[in-house]
Amino acid sequence: MSNRLLKLLFKRFLVLTLGFLAFSNVSQAAPEDMPEAYPQSTLEGTVRIQSSGHLVLFSPVREINNEIRSESLARLPVTGEGRLYRIARDSSREEARDHYLGLLRQRNAQILFECSSIRCGRSNVWANQIFNQAVLYGRDATQDYLVAGTVAEDGSRWLTLVYTVTRGNLREYVWVEHLKVESGATIPGFGIGTSRVEGPIIVPWQGGVTYRFDWQATDRRRVTDLAREEGTVVVLVGYSVLETDESFAESMERARLATESLAEVLSKTGVSRNQQEIIVVGPAGVFSDPDRQGDRVEVIVITR
């Protein structure tokens, strides 16, 4: 066989191989497919989910008188499955979470809600009342949760839930639910009109001359990543508590200085001041949501 023919055959083989790999990558990214497992994890179990009223939370969970309470939840008609993974000891749940966030980003998913640490509520409730997976009961300070929505080419809607936790024995787990939602069901926060708005991300602050912001690393990365898109606006809304010994104007000034301080922090991490809009509400904003209380800045990202 001549060298020319060998080269021709090799080129055809290469083209077919690359085409197959490209097709595989596209199919894996389809919204209807279960997200690819984090490589440094082991599948521990799979649960088939088919329900006319599957509980999905879109805000922190609380248990009051043995009843689940949440500012935003839905019982949705779904079909899908849940998978339990154990994370390898030489890896971490933060890396696992980043893996799934990356996959969801590739699918143009809309993050409908996410939380970390005690802000999510009690791990015991998530494990035993929400997911019915006792092995997920871990430390309240070492857990996180997100729910994201995607739309397939055929118009079907899919929800992906990712919960990670560190148990008391330091073993780490990931629970992933991937669910097709029946047509006509209402999914809180998921729709064409809300897909451009992300947030609010609550950033509590303390200080006077200098400020300390209680901000999750995942939230910081989320804002920075979204801000890379041309035309994105990052809105910083500053709130403060009206102290007994200060005037309304003084409280407004505290909120303004703290919000401008956070704006400066963001500008140093890649979010230019030209992209930012500052709104000072001070003590004038009152909410019933327990997470939206106190001295804080609420960050809202609006994409083009």
Side-chain angles (χ1 to χ4, degrees):
M1 187 178 292
S2 67
N3 289 337
R4 183 177 180 183
L5 181 56
L6 285 172
K7 289 181 180 178
L8 179 60
L9 291 173
F10 176 76
K11 287 181 179 179
R12 288 182 177 177
F13 171 78
L14 187 60
V15 168
L16 288 172
T17 302
L18 292 175
F20 174 77
L21 290 174
F23 176 79
S24 298
N25 288 336
V26 170
S27 63
Q28 287 177 359
E32 57 267 30
D33 292 337
M34 187 78 179
E36 182 180 355
Y38 175 55
Q40 300 300 315
S41 67
T42 303
L43 180 63
E44 295 271 295
T46 300
V47 176
R48 180 67 182 169
I49 299 173
Q50 184 167 2
S51 172
S52 60
H54 186 66
L55 180 62
V56 180
L57 269 63
F58 299 86
S59 62
V61 65
R62 289 169 181 79
E63 187 179 29
I64 302 176
N65 297 326
N66 296 320
E67 292 186 3
I68 294 174
R69 301 290 179 86
S70 181
E71 292 291 325
S72 180
L73 59 79
R75 294 190 177 274
L76 300 170
V78 302
T79 57
E81 66 179 38
R83 293 184 182 178
L84 176 68
Y85 299 95
R86 177 168 50 85
I87 302 172
R89 288 191 181 275
D90 59 352
S91 188
S92 69
R93 64 183 186 84
E94 290 85 2
E95 291 173 346
R97 176 186 170 89
D98 288 344
H99 164 81
Y100 288 105
L101 276 172
L103 294 179
L104 291 169
R105 215 172 281 126
Q106 291 173 11
R107 299 181 181 196
N108 295 318
Q110 179 185 342
I111 304 297
L112 304 175
F113 172 70
E114 60 181 331
C115 62
S116 297
S117 186
I118 189 62
R119 293 178 184 173
C120 295
R122 299 294 303 275
S123 174
N124 174 52
V125 180
W126 286 101
N128 297 309
Q129 303 294 323
I130 307 299
F131 300 128
N132 295 315
Q133 296 289 324
V135 72
L136 293 174
Y137 178 24
R139 300 173 176 178
D140 295 341
T142 53
Q143 61 174 336
D144 53 54
Y145 166 79
L146 69 84
V147 53
T150 51
V151 179
E153 290 186 0
D154 63 1
S156 61
R157 297 171 301 163
W158 294 78
L159 290 179
T160 304
L161 288 63
V162 180
Y163 178 81
T164 77
V165 68
T166 302
R167 286 174 54 85
N169 61 4
L170 301 184
R171 297 299 310 194
E172 296 188 311
Y173 290 86
V174 181
W175 173 256
V176 180
E177 289 185 14
H178 191 57
L179 311 168
K180 180 180 180 180
V181 183
E182 288 187 13
S183 177
T186 300
I187 304 174
F190 189 35
I192 297 174
T194 59
S195 60
R196 294 178 56 205
V197 181
E198 293 275 350
I201 298 171
I202 311 299
V203 186
W205 59 265
Q206 295 178 348
V209 178
T210 59
Y211 297 90
R212 183 171 65 85
F213 299 100
D214 182 12
W215 203 3
Q216 299 290 327
T218 53
D219 288 339
R220 292 196 297 270
R221 287 197 299 270
R222 177 182 168 197
V223 171
T224 303
D225 289 345
L226 288 171
R228 291 194 180 101
E229 297 182 17
E230 184 179 355
T232 297
V233 177
V234 179
V235 183
L236 307 180
V237 186
Y239 295 87
S240 58
V241 174
L242 185 61
E243 303 291 350
T244 56
D245 58 347
E246 70 177 352
S247 66
F248 175 77
E250 290 170 336
S251 186
M252 288 287 288
E253 180 67 5
R254 284 196 305 113
R256 182 185 67 79
L257 292 174
T259 307
E260 290 180 350
S261 179
L262 182 58
E264 185 61 28
V265 171
L266 283 174
S267 68
K268 293 178 180 179
T269 60
V271 183
S272 72
R273 291 300 291 263
N274 292 334
Q275 289 181 271
Q276 300 181 37
E277 293 287 344
I278 293 178
I279 300 173
V280 181
V281 177
V286 180
F287 299 89
S288 59
D289 186 342
D291 291 323
R292 303 181 72 181
Q293 307 294 327
D295 295 335
R296 68 195 187 281
V297 177
E298 298 189 3
V299 183
I300 300 169
V301 182
I302 302 173
T303 56
R304 187 172 181 176

